[in-house]
Amino acid sequence: VPMEQGAFVSYSHADTEAVRELVAIISRELNFPVWYDNNLHGGDHYFSIIAERILKYEYFIFVVSPHSVCSEFCTMELEFAKSEKRKILAVWLEDFMPPPRIRMVISHTHYIRIFALSPAGLREELRQSLLTDQLSSDVIPTQQTVSDRILEGYKYFLRAEEKKKIQYLLQLESQGKYGACYEPDAAVLLGLAYELGIHTEKDP
């Protein structure tokens, strides 16, 4: 079945109010087709309908919140959308660190941080993301350099000092100077760098 232009919205029902506002902007102000499960009832074939809608639309919007990242339903929807190569847009309601299972899927996706945007800024970010075809279903190539990836650190919610420390540790590692890399804090940061696919400039 060919995909249609439009977006499926995955969210926790605890965030319904914020999601309704988001959907209103996308559907009314951008005139972009969007679907979320506000009309589903207990007797509906819930999982069949959800899977059908994810497959129907080109875009998958994952509303990232402390509620959604703890929802097994939301996680399954996200992983299904990723496996079906949908264009994933992660819309963050607040700034926090989600669990590794979620980070692993969305670390290379496009982010919109609602909490840091004005209403006009949010509309423009959504317009750029959904109407200019900038999103890709492919992950960012891991060949990007540490400067490309670290300096784009806004996508990964790393503090400035953490970004600098990761860059420093990767440089030490590339030079064969492993001593500092085995310190507990350093090992955690390096593990995060590997998880995100961050490499040094000397990597092939």
Short mmCIF file of all heavy atoms in Angstrom, two decimals, residues 122-160:
data_model
loop_
_atom_site.label_atom_id
_atom_site.label_comp_id
_atom_site.label_asym_id
_atom_site.label_seq_id
_atom_site.Cartn_x
_atom_site.Cartn_y
_atom_site.Cartn_z
N LEU A 122 7.45 27.35 17.12
CA LEU A 122 6.99 25.97 16.98
C LEU A 122 6.33 25.76 15.62
O LEU A 122 6.59 24.76 14.94
CB LEU A 122 6.01 25.64 18.10
CG LEU A 122 5.31 24.27 18.00
CD1 LEU A 122 6.32 23.13 17.97
CD2 LEU A 122 4.32 24.09 19.15
N ARG A 123 5.48 26.70 15.21
CA ARG A 123 4.83 26.59 13.90
C ARG A 123 5.86 26.51 12.78
O ARG A 123 5.73 25.72 11.85
CB ARG A 123 3.88 27.77 13.67
CG ARG A 123 2.59 27.68 14.44
CD ARG A 123 1.56 28.66 13.93
NE ARG A 123 2.01 30.04 14.04
CZ ARG A 123 1.86 30.80 15.13
NH1 ARG A 123 1.27 30.29 16.20
NH2 ARG A 123 2.28 32.04 15.16
N GLU A 124 6.90 27.34 12.88
CA GLU A 124 7.91 27.36 11.82
C GLU A 124 8.72 26.06 11.81
O GLU A 124 9.02 25.52 10.75
CB GLU A 124 8.85 28.56 12.02
CG GLU A 124 9.98 28.66 11.00
CD GLU A 124 9.49 28.74 9.55
OE1 GLU A 124 8.33 29.12 9.32
OE2 GLU A 124 10.29 28.43 8.64
N GLU A 125 9.06 25.54 12.99
CA GLU A 125 9.79 24.27 13.07
C GLU A 125 8.95 23.14 12.47
O GLU A 125 9.47 22.29 11.72
CB GLU A 125 10.14 23.95 14.52
CG GLU A 125 11.26 24.79 15.10
CD GLU A 125 12.63 24.24 14.74
OE1 GLU A 125 12.72 23.11 14.20
OE2 GLU A 125 13.62 24.94 14.98
N LEU A 126 7.67 23.11 12.79
CA LEU A 126 6.79 22.08 12.23
C LEU A 126 6.66 22.24 10.71
O LEU A 126 6.68 21.26 9.97
CB LEU A 126 5.41 22.16 12.89
CG LEU A 126 5.35 21.66 14.34
CD1 LEU A 126 4.02 22.08 14.98
CD2 LEU A 126 5.53 20.16 14.41
N ARG A 127 6.54 23.48 10.27
CA ARG A 127 6.44 23.72 8.82
C ARG A 127 7.69 23.22 8.10
O ARG A 127 7.62 22.53 7.09
CB ARG A 127 6.24 25.21 8.55
CG ARG A 127 5.91 25.53 7.10
CD ARG A 127 5.95 27.03 6.83
NE ARG A 127 7.32 27.52 6.85
CZ ARG A 127 8.20 27.36 5.86
NH1 ARG A 127 7.84 26.70 4.76
NH2 ARG A 127 9.42 27.83 5.95
N GLN A 128 8.86 23.58 8.64
CA GLN A 128 10.12 23.15 8.03
C GLN A 128 10.24 21.64 8.02
O GLN A 128 10.74 21.05 7.05
CB GLN A 128 11.31 23.76 8.79
CG GLN A 128 11.48 25.25 8.60
CD GLN A 128 12.07 25.61 7.24
OE1 GLN A 128 12.67 24.78 6.58
NE2 GLN A 128 11.89 26.84 6.83
N SER A 129 9.79 21.00 9.08
CA SER A 129 9.95 19.55 9.22
C SER A 129 9.00 18.77 8.33
O SER A 129 9.39 17.76 7.74
CB SER A 129 9.72 19.14 10.68
OG SER A 129 10.64 19.76 11.53
N LEU A 130 7.75 19.23 8.22
CA LEU A 130 6.72 18.45 7.55
C LEU A 130 6.44 18.89 6.11
O LEU A 130 5.98 18.09 5.31
CB LEU A 130 5.42 18.51 8.35
CG LEU A 130 5.48 17.93 9.76
CD1 LEU A 130 4.18 18.22 10.50
CD2 LEU A 130 5.77 16.44 9.75
N LEU A 131 6.72 20.14 5.79
CA LEU A 131 6.32 20.66 4.48
C LEU A 131 7.48 20.91 3.53
O LEU A 131 7.26 21.23 2.36
CB LEU A 131 5.52 21.96 4.65
CG LEU A 131 4.23 21.84 5.46
CD1 LEU A 131 3.52 23.19 5.53
CD2 LEU A 131 3.31 20.79 4.85
N THR A 132 8.71 20.77 4.00
CA THR A 132 9.85 21.02 3.10
C THR A 132 10.64 19.75 2.81
O THR A 132 11.69 19.80 2.18
CB THR A 132 10.81 22.06 3.72
OG1 THR A 132 11.34 21.56 4.95
CG2 THR A 132 10.09 23.38 3.97
N ASP A 133 10.13 18.60 3.29
CA ASP A 133 10.74 17.30 2.98
C ASP A 133 12.19 17.23 3.42
O ASP A 133 13.05 16.71 2.72
CB ASP A 133 10.62 16.98 1.49
CG ASP A 133 10.76 15.48 1.22
OD1 ASP A 133 10.39 14.68 2.10
OD2 ASP A 133 11.26 15.12 0.14
N GLN A 134 12.50 17.78 4.61
CA GLN A 134 13.87 17.75 5.10
C GLN A 134 14.17 16.47 5.89
O GLN A 134 15.31 16.12 6.08
CB GLN A 134 14.14 18.96 6.01
CG GLN A 134 14.19 20.28 5.26
CD GLN A 134 14.60 21.43 6.16
OE1 GLN A 134 14.73 21.27 7.37
NE2 GLN A 134 14.80 22.58 5.56
N LEU A 135 13.13 15.80 6.35
CA LEU A 135 13.35 14.61 7.16
C LEU A 135 13.68 13.43 6.27
O LEU A 135 13.22 13.32 5.15
CB LEU A 135 12.11 14.27 7.99
CG LEU A 135 12.04 14.91 9.38
CD1 LEU A 135 11.94 16.41 9.27
CD2 LEU A 135 10.85 14.36 10.15
N SER A 136 14.48 12.53 6.81
CA SER A 136 14.84 11.32 6.09
C SER A 136 14.50 10.12 6.95
O SER A 136 14.54 10.17 8.17
CB SER A 136 16.34 11.32 5.77
OG SER A 136 16.74 10.06 5.28
N SER A 137 14.17 9.02 6.30
CA SER A 137 13.93 7.78 7.04
C SER A 137 15.23 7.07 7.36
O SER A 137 15.25 6.08 8.09
CB SER A 137 13.03 6.85 6.23
OG SER A 137 13.62 6.56 4.98
N ASP A 138 16.35 7.56 6.81
CA ASP A 138 17.65 6.94 7.05
C ASP A 138 18.34 7.60 8.23
O ASP A 138 18.16 8.78 8.48
CB ASP A 138 18.56 7.09 5.81
CG ASP A 138 17.96 6.41 4.60
OD1 ASP A 138 17.36 5.33 4.78
OD2 ASP A 138 18.09 6.95 3.50
N VAL A 139 19.15 6.82 8.94
CA VAL A 139 19.90 7.39 10.04
C VAL A 139 21.03 8.25 9.50
O VAL A 139 21.48 8.11 8.37
CB VAL A 139 20.50 6.29 10.96
CG1 VAL A 139 19.39 5.49 11.60
CG2 VAL A 139 21.44 5.40 10.17
N ILE A 140 21.51 9.17 10.34
CA ILE A 140 22.62 10.02 9.95
C ILE A 140 23.86 9.15 9.78
O ILE A 140 24.14 8.30 10.62
CB ILE A 140 22.87 11.08 11.05
CG1 ILE A 140 21.64 11.98 11.18
CG2 ILE A 140 24.10 11.92 10.72
CD1 ILE A 140 21.68 12.89 12.37
N PRO A 141 24.63 9.31 8.70
CA PRO A 141 25.81 8.47 8.50
C PRO A 141 26.79 8.60 9.66
O PRO A 141 27.05 9.69 10.15
CB PRO A 141 26.42 9.04 7.20
CG PRO A 141 25.30 9.74 6.52
CD PRO A 141 24.41 10.25 7.61
N THR A 142 27.34 7.47 10.10
CA THR A 142 28.27 7.50 11.23
C THR A 142 29.62 8.05 10.84
O THR A 142 30.46 8.27 11.69
CB THR A 142 28.45 6.08 11.80
OG1 THR A 142 28.89 5.22 10.75
CG2 THR A 142 27.17 5.55 12.38
N GLN A 143 29.85 8.31 9.54
CA GLN A 143 31.13 8.86 9.13
C GLN A 143 31.28 10.33 9.49
O GLN A 143 32.34 10.89 9.33
CB GLN A 143 31.31 8.71 7.61
CG GLN A 143 31.55 7.28 7.16
CD GLN A 143 30.24 6.54 6.95
OE1 GLN A 143 29.18 7.03 7.31
NE2 GLN A 143 30.30 5.36 6.36
N GLN A 144 30.21 10.97 9.96
CA GLN A 144 30.36 12.36 10.34
C GLN A 144 31.42 12.50 11.42
O GLN A 144 31.60 11.63 12.26
CB GLN A 144 29.03 12.92 10.88
CG GLN A 144 28.04 13.27 9.76
CD GLN A 144 26.84 13.94 10.33
OE1 GLN A 144 26.02 13.29 10.95
NE2 GLN A 144 26.71 15.23 10.12
N THR A 145 32.12 13.63 11.39
CA THR A 145 33.23 13.82 12.32
C THR A 145 32.72 14.20 13.70
O THR A 145 31.56 14.56 13.88
CB THR A 145 34.15 14.93 11.82
OG1 THR A 145 33.42 16.17 11.83
CG2 THR A 145 34.65 14.65 10.41
N VAL A 146 33.62 14.15 14.65
CA VAL A 146 33.24 14.52 16.02
C VAL A 146 32.78 15.97 16.07
O VAL A 146 31.87 16.31 16.81
CB VAL A 146 34.41 14.26 17.00
CG1 VAL A 146 35.57 15.18 16.75
CG2 VAL A 146 33.92 14.39 18.44
N SER A 147 33.39 16.85 15.28
CA SER A 147 32.97 18.24 15.31
C SER A 147 31.56 18.40 14.74
O SER A 147 30.75 19.16 15.25
CB SER A 147 33.95 19.13 14.54
OG SER A 147 34.09 18.67 13.22
N ASP A 148 31.27 17.63 13.67
CA ASP A 148 29.92 17.67 13.10
C ASP A 148 28.88 17.23 14.11
O ASP A 148 27.83 17.83 14.26
CB ASP A 148 29.81 16.75 11.88
CG ASP A 148 30.57 17.27 10.68
OD1 ASP A 148 30.70 18.49 10.54
OD2 ASP A 148 31.03 16.43 9.89
N ARG A 149 29.18 16.15 14.82
CA ARG A 149 28.19 15.53 15.69
C ARG A 149 28.15 16.16 17.07
O ARG A 149 27.08 16.44 17.59
CB ARG A 149 28.48 14.04 15.81
CG ARG A 149 28.30 13.30 14.51
CD ARG A 149 26.84 13.30 14.07
NE ARG A 149 26.06 12.46 14.96
CZ ARG A 149 26.05 11.14 14.89
NH1 ARG A 149 26.73 10.53 13.96
NH2 ARG A 149 25.35 10.45 15.73
N ILE A 150 29.33 16.40 17.65
CA ILE A 150 29.36 16.99 18.99
C ILE A 150 28.78 18.39 18.96
O ILE A 150 28.00 18.78 19.83
CB ILE A 150 30.80 17.03 19.53
CG1 ILE A 150 31.26 15.62 19.86
CG2 ILE A 150 30.90 17.91 20.77
CD1 ILE A 150 30.65 15.03 21.09
N LEU A 151 29.15 19.17 17.96
CA LEU A 151 28.69 20.55 17.91
C LEU A 151 27.22 20.64 17.52
O LEU A 151 26.61 21.68 17.63
CB LEU A 151 29.56 21.36 16.94
CG LEU A 151 31.03 21.45 17.39
CD1 LEU A 151 31.85 22.23 16.37
CD2 LEU A 151 31.15 22.09 18.77
N GLU A 152 26.63 19.53 17.05
CA GLU A 152 25.19 19.45 16.87
C GLU A 152 24.55 18.86 18.13
O GLU A 152 23.47 18.30 18.09
CB GLU A 152 24.84 18.57 15.67
CG GLU A 152 25.04 19.24 14.34
CD GLU A 152 24.48 18.40 13.21
OE1 GLU A 152 24.69 17.18 13.23
OE2 GLU A 152 23.83 18.97 12.34
N GLY A 153 25.23 19.01 19.25
CA GLY A 153 24.83 18.34 20.47
C GLY A 153 23.48 18.72 21.00
O GLY A 153 22.96 18.07 21.90
N TYR A 154 22.88 19.80 20.46
CA TYR A 154 21.53 20.14 20.90
C TYR A 154 20.58 18.99 20.66
O TYR A 154 19.57 18.85 21.32
CB TYR A 154 21.03 21.38 20.16
CG TYR A 154 20.73 21.16 18.70
CD1 TYR A 154 19.46 20.79 18.27
CD2 TYR A 154 21.73 21.32 17.74
CE1 TYR A 154 19.20 20.55 16.93
CE2 TYR A 154 21.47 21.09 16.40
CZ TYR A 154 20.21 20.71 16.00
OH TYR A 154 19.96 20.49 14.68
N LYS A 155 20.90 18.13 19.70
CA LYS A 155 20.02 17.00 19.41
C LYS A 155 20.09 15.95 20.51
O LYS A 155 19.20 15.14 20.63
CB LYS A 155 20.42 16.35 18.08
CG LYS A 155 20.11 17.18 16.86
CD LYS A 155 20.44 16.40 15.61
CE LYS A 155 20.05 17.17 14.36
NZ LYS A 155 20.37 16.44 13.14
N TYR A 156 21.16 15.94 21.27
CA TYR A 156 21.36 14.84 22.21
C TYR A 156 21.22 15.27 23.66
O TYR A 156 21.44 14.50 24.57
CB TYR A 156 22.75 14.23 21.99
CG TYR A 156 22.97 13.80 20.56
CD1 TYR A 156 24.06 14.25 19.85
CD2 TYR A 156 22.05 12.97 19.93
CE1 TYR A 156 24.24 13.88 18.54
CE2 TYR A 156 22.22 12.60 18.63
CZ TYR A 156 23.33 13.04 17.92
OH TYR A 156 23.50 12.68 16.62
N PHE A 157 20.93 16.54 23.91
CA PHE A 157 20.69 17.03 25.26
C PHE A 157 21.91 16.80 26.17
O PHE A 157 21.77 16.40 27.31
CB PHE A 157 19.43 16.40 25.86
CG PHE A 157 18.21 16.84 25.13
CD1 PHE A 157 17.77 16.14 24.03
CD2 PHE A 157 17.52 17.97 25.51
CE1 PHE A 157 16.66 16.56 23.32
CE2 PHE A 157 16.41 18.39 24.82
CZ PHE A 157 15.97 17.69 23.73
N LEU A 158 23.09 17.01 25.61
CA LEU A 158 24.31 16.96 26.40
C LEU A 158 24.65 18.37 26.84
O LEU A 158 24.51 19.32 26.08
CB LEU A 158 25.47 16.39 25.58
CG LEU A 158 25.36 14.94 25.15
CD1 LEU A 158 26.46 14.63 24.14
CD2 LEU A 158 25.46 14.02 26.33
N ARG A 159 25.12 18.51 28.07
CA ARG A 159 25.58 19.81 28.53
C ARG A 159 26.88 20.17 27.82
O ARG A 159 27.61 19.31 27.36
CB ARG A 159 25.78 19.80 30.04
CG ARG A 159 24.49 19.57 30.83
CD ARG A 159 24.71 19.86 32.31
NE ARG A 159 25.75 19.02 32.87
CZ ARG A 159 25.54 17.81 33.35
NH1 ARG A 159 24.33 17.28 33.32
NH2 ARG A 159 26.53 17.09 33.86
N ALA A 160 27.17 21.48 27.78
CA ALA A 160 28.36 21.95 27.06
C ALA A 160 29.64 21.30 27.58
O ALA A 160 30.50 20.88 26.80
CB ALA A 160 28.45 23.47 27.16
#
